[in-house]
Amino acid sequence: MFGSKIDLFNKEWLDVVFAKKNKSYGAYELRKQNGANTSKALLFASAAFIFLFLLPKIVTLIKGQLPEEEIVKQVEVVVAPPPPVDPKTPPPPPVEPPPPKTDQIKFPPPIVKPDNQVRDEDPPQIEQLKAADPGQKTIEGDPGADIVVTGPVGEGPKQAAVVEDTKVYDFVSIETQPGFPGGMEKFYAYLHKAVRYPPMAQENNIQGKVFLSFVVEKDGRLTDIKVERKLGGGTDEEAIRVLKASPKWTPGIQNGKPVRVKYNIPISFTLSN
């Protein structure tokens, strides 16, 4: 037998195989070029495999060398329209410039200090005070500055607001004390007629005085009636009722004007035999 190392595609063997045959037939040319075609195919396949294997690294290197594109974000800014101008609203007042500086001579008020902190300084002379204003320190003014009026500018004299005096005065500290019309004798006569002895106080033989306080208003009314010392048995409520029903008093006077005055008074409850 022939050895296994025989190359049937060799040119000598091809000539033997295709002896006395048509060599222009395509099979002869294919077998003749088979080795070259196989080598070319193997070379191209190896090159394609290596290229595909190295493609990711090549792409990475190319991306690292290229500059990164900056991403620019566009933000739409909506500007609100200005508020409508109200013709009724007056414009803001103009800012006035500061007043010009005037000459000042140091003239601080006297301060009591220990002897070790006292510094001898000559006081300003009268001639110096005539040309400058006294102040805490010496300041040179600007004689060429414009004169600016910093006082409030008004529309003319207006009536001053009247502040109502709501203070409650003590009846012993005012010029004219309040009183019942006709004097205190008339007031006790009014109590004698108006007071009704409570039945509970009569049954329990409750007698004594109820001490009350109240405020005589500017128009003479009695308000803020309070029981300062109670007696009980319904006498406290009866004393409050009588004061609420009292006629108007003459108000107290302070500086020629009626004022509110606090008043204290006892009301006696006595059972007759």
Side-chain angles (χ1 to χ4, degrees):
M1 293 182 64
F2 296 101
S4 60
K5 295 182 179 180
I6 297 175
D7 188 4
L8 296 179
F9 295 97
N10 195 358
K11 184 177 180 181
E12 290 78 6
W13 284 103
L14 288 177
D15 292 339
V16 174
V17 174
F18 285 93
K20 299 179 182 182
K21 292 182 181 180
N22 187 7
K23 293 183 179 181
S24 61
Y25 184 67
Y28 178 77
E29 294 293 333
L30 289 175
R31 290 196 178 192
K32 185 178 178 180
Q33 299 177 2
N34 180 61
N37 292 337
T38 301
S39 300
K40 291 180 180 180
L42 181 61
L43 180 62
F44 289 147
S46 301
F49 175 78
I50 294 172
F51 177 74
L52 293 175
F53 179 77
L54 298 177
L55 182 62
K57 296 184 178 180
I58 296 173
V59 173
T60 304
L61 293 175
I62 293 174
K63 286 185 177 181
Q65 295 178 358
L66 294 177
E68 296 183 359
E69 297 182 357
E70 295 182 359
I71 301 175
V72 180
K73 295 183 179 180
Q74 295 183 356
V75 180
E76 183 178 358
V77 179
V78 179
V79 180
V85 178
D86 188 0
K88 297 181 180 180
T89 302
V95 179
E96 297 181 355
K101 295 182 179 179
T102 58
D103 293 337
Q104 289 186 356
I105 298 297
K106 184 177 180 181
F107 195 75
I111 301 175
V112 179
K113 292 184 178 180
D115 295 339
N116 57 353
Q117 297 181 6
V118 175
R119 296 181 180 179
D120 294 333
E121 295 183 6
D122 296 334
Q125 303 298 323
I126 297 178
E127 297 298 331
Q128 295 176 342
L129 294 177
K130 288 181 179 180
D133 296 332
Q136 295 294 326
K137 58 183 179 179
T138 302
I139 301 175
E140 294 183 0
D142 185 5
D146 297 333
I147 299 176
V148 179
V149 179
T150 58
V153 179
E155 299 176 355
K158 296 182 179 179
Q159 184 178 2
V162 178
V163 180
E164 185 179 0
D165 186 7
T166 59
K167 177 182 177 181
V168 178
Y169 292 83
D170 192 0
F171 74 99
V172 297
S173 61
I174 60 173
E175 298 174 356
T176 304
Q177 298 179 359
F180 190 81
M184 295 307 295
E185 294 182 358
K186 294 287 185 181
F187 177 70
Y188 287 115
Y190 160 75
L191 293 179
H192 183 73
K193 295 180 180 179
V195 171
R196 301 173 184 175
Y197 216 102
M200 184 182 298
Q202 293 181 9
E203 294 175 1
N204 294 280
N205 195 24
I206 296 176
Q207 302 183 67
K209 294 182 180 180
V210 178
F211 292 86
L212 302 100
S213 65
F214 54 87
V215 175
V216 181
E217 297 290 340
K218 298 178 182 179
D219 58 356
R221 295 180 297 108
L222 305 185
T223 61
D224 198 16
I225 302 173
K226 298 179 181 179
V227 177
E228 301 295 340
R229 185 186 300 176
K230 298 181 179 181
L231 183 60
T235 57
D236 306 330
E237 293 77 4
E238 178 63 15
I240 294 176
R241 184 193 68 80
V242 171
L243 289 181
K244 287 183 177 180
S246 171
K248 289 185 177 181
W249 287 40
T250 302
I253 304 298
Q254 182 71 12
N255 296 327
K257 296 181 180 180
V259 292
R260 305 177 67 201
V261 182
K262 185 176 181 181
Y263 206 92
N264 298 310
I265 193 171
I267 297 180
S268 300
F269 289 84
T270 305
L271 291 173
S272 60
N273 295 328

